[in-house]
Amino acid sequence: MKKKKMFFFGMVVLYAACLAACHRQPIIIPDFNTPTEQYIFAKNLKDQSLLESPQQEKKMERTEALILAYNKVIERFPEDLRVTPLAWSEVADIYFRKGDYKESLRLYEIVLKKYPDQDDVVCKSLFGAARCQDHLKNYEKALSYYKQCFERFENDKRPPLAFLGKQARQLYSRVRVR
C-alpha cells in the first residue's frame, strides 16, 4: 500500500514538473499605428535575433515571437500593399527554416495569388515555393516554379531579383533522383 502511494505521489510530482516545464510566458507584440512601424518592429526583432546566438529553447521562443510579429502586420494591415506582402514572405521564410515545408509552401502560394504584380515578393515566393517542392520531392512542381522564376527574373535590372532568377536557373538544371 505504501509503495502505491509513493508511486502515485511520484507520478503527480513528475506530471507537475512536466507542466511547469511546458508552461511558457505569453509573447505579447505591441501594436503600432502604421503598417511600416509594425513591420519595422518585426524586422528589428529579426535582426536582433540574427546578431545573438541563443540556446535552442530561446531560439524556438524567438522564432515564435518573429512569426507573431510578422503576423501582426498581416492581421492589422491586410490592405497594405507595401509591407504586408513582405511580412507574408518573411513568415513563409521562417517556416522554411524551421523545416515546415508544407506551411511555407502554403504561405508562398498565398503571396503569389494575393500580390501577382509585386515583383519582389513574387520572385522570392516563386523561388521559395520551388525549394519547398524540392524538399517535399515534388520535383515536377519544383521545376515549374524554378522555370517561372528564372524566365521572369533572371535578366531583371534589379540585382536581388536577377540573383534569385540566376539561382533558380542553376537549381532548375540540377539532376534529381526519386
Side-chain angles (χ1 to χ4, degrees):
M1 185 72 160
K2 194 173 191 177
K3 283 186 179 183
K4 283 185 181 180
K5 283 184 181 180
M6 289 298 285
F7 178 77
F8 178 74
F9 179 73
M11 291 304 290
V12 169
V13 169
L14 182 62
Y15 181 71
C18 287
L19 282 178
C22 294
H23 177 70
R24 289 187 185 156
Q25 297 296 324
I27 298 171
I28 299 169
I29 305 297
D31 290 340
F32 291 92
N33 293 328
T34 68
T36 303
E37 289 175 309
Q38 196 74 53
Y39 181 80
I40 288 172
F41 173 82
K43 192 77 169 148
N44 286 341
L45 190 62
K46 177 184 175 187
D47 292 346
Q48 179 185 359
S49 69
L50 291 174
L51 293 175
E52 299 172 4
S53 47
Q55 297 173 348
Q56 187 61 28
E57 184 179 312
K58 288 280 188 194
K59 198 177 278 189
M60 288 172 35
E61 193 173 289
R62 285 186 188 230
T63 298
E64 187 179 331
L66 271 176
I67 291 169
L68 290 172
Y70 284 116
N71 277 336
K72 182 81 86 153
V73 176
I74 294 164
E75 292 165 7
R76 293 198 65 233
F77 306 101
E79 303 305 315
D80 172 73
L81 296 176
R82 283 188 35 237
V83 296
T84 299
L86 298 173
W88 278 101
S89 184
E90 289 289 344
V91 175
D93 289 347
I94 294 167
Y95 279 105
F96 183 86
R97 285 191 301 275
K98 284 178 59 173
D100 189 344
Y101 305 118
K102 287 182 180 180
E103 180 62 12
S104 180
L105 177 62
R106 184 185 77 77
L107 295 169
Y108 286 130
E109 288 177 340
I110 287 172
V111 172
L112 291 170
K113 287 178 187 157
K114 287 182 75 122
Y115 309 103
D117 298 330
Q118 294 199 20
D119 288 347
D120 53 345
V121 293
V122 167
C123 181
K124 189 175 180 181
S125 295
L126 286 170
F127 188 77
R131 290 175 52 216
C132 290
Q133 294 288 16
D134 250 344
H135 281 281
L136 294 169
K137 301 190 185 316
N138 299 326
Y139 298 127
E140 288 80 17
K141 290 180 182 178
L143 291 172
S144 173
Y145 280 123
Y146 284 131
K147 188 173 185 179
Q148 290 176 63
C149 186
F150 77 74
E151 284 180 344
R152 186 165 168 188
F153 297 106
E154 182 177 37
N155 296 314
D156 200 282
K157 304 243 184 288
R158 296 162 286 189
L161 303 185
F163 177 76
L164 278 182
K166 287 176 177 130
Q167 275 193 309
R169 180 178 286 282
Q170 288 178 344
L171 291 171
Y172 177 83
S173 302
R174 196 178 80 201
V175 173
R176 290 154 177 85
V177 180
R178 287 191 192 266

